[in-house]
């Protein structure tokens, strides 16, 4: 069982920055993918950004609304996943969750699915 603990959330004015961190209890490089999700009140959980492990280079993905403003990074030596968030706006207000994926069998295929989740950290952006 992997424990994920997020930190770095808080309250900030629009245009400000925050850096979220996710500390993992095990070797983060074992994860086939790592990601940040968020959930705003009354809305579904949304995938914000992910790092997908590939044979050659890891691939970073971002949802359109955060492209150019958020940067995801992974420090395998420290078992930490980070999310640098710049130019925050009120739409970024949500609870942010860290997630780690593991390979599993699914209908004869091997897929990478999110298996471990953190408790979340609140980010509040005021206008």
């Amino acid at each position: 069982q992997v424990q994920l603990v997020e930190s770095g959330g808080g309250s900030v004015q629009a245009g400000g920055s925050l850096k979220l961190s996710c500390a993992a209890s095990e070797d983060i490089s074992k994860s086939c993918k790592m990601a940040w999700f968020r959930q705003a009140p009354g809305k579904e959980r949304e995938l914000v950004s992910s790092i997908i492990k590939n044979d050659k280079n890891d691939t970073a993905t971002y949802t359109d609304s955060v492209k150019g403003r958020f940067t995801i990074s992974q420090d395998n030596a420290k078992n930490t996943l980070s999310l640098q968030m710049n130019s925050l706006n009120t739409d970024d207000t949500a609870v942010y969750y860290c997630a780690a994926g593991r390979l599993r069998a699914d209908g004869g295929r091997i897929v990478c699915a999110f298996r471990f989740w953190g408790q979340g950290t609140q980010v509040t952006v005021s206008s």
Side-chain angles (χ1 to χ4, degrees):
Q1 186 76 11
V2 177
Q3 304 295 324
L4 301 174
V5 180
E6 302 96 338
S7 62
S11 296
V12 64
Q13 288 191 328
S17 298
L18 284 173
K19 184 175 184 178
L20 304 183
S21 294
C22 171
S25 61
E26 294 186 2
D27 184 357
I28 201 173
S29 65
K30 292 181 179 180
S31 297
C32 47
K33 60 182 176 182
M34 298 288 299
W36 288 98
F37 287 78
R38 67 186 179 187
Q39 187 166 20
K43 294 187 178 180
E44 294 186 353
R45 184 171 55 192
E46 172 190 28
L47 174 61
V48 176
S49 180
S50 67
I51 294 180
I52 302 171
K53 183 177 295 184
N54 296 311
D55 290 338
K56 296 182 178 179
N57 296 306
D58 294 346
T59 300
T61 71
Y62 300 92
T63 191
D64 286 345
S65 63
V66 309
K67 285 180 180 178
R69 300 189 297 121
F70 290 11
T71 302
I72 191 171
S73 60
Q74 182 171 319
D75 188 332
N76 292 337
K78 297 182 178 180
N79 292 329
T80 299
L81 180 74
S82 298
L83 185 69
Q84 177 66 47
M85 306 187 296
N86 298 328
S87 301
L88 286 161
N89 59 59
T90 55
D91 290 338
D92 297 317
T93 295
V95 178
Y96 284 71
Y97 299 91
C98 173
R102 287 290 190 273
L103 297 177
R104 65 176 177 86
D106 182 15
R109 302 180 304 144
I110 300 298
V111 299
C112 179
F114 291 111
R115 179 176 176 184
F116 303 108
W117 297 83
Q119 293 300 307
T121 185
Q122 176 70 46
V123 171
T124 302
V125 184
S126 59
S127 58

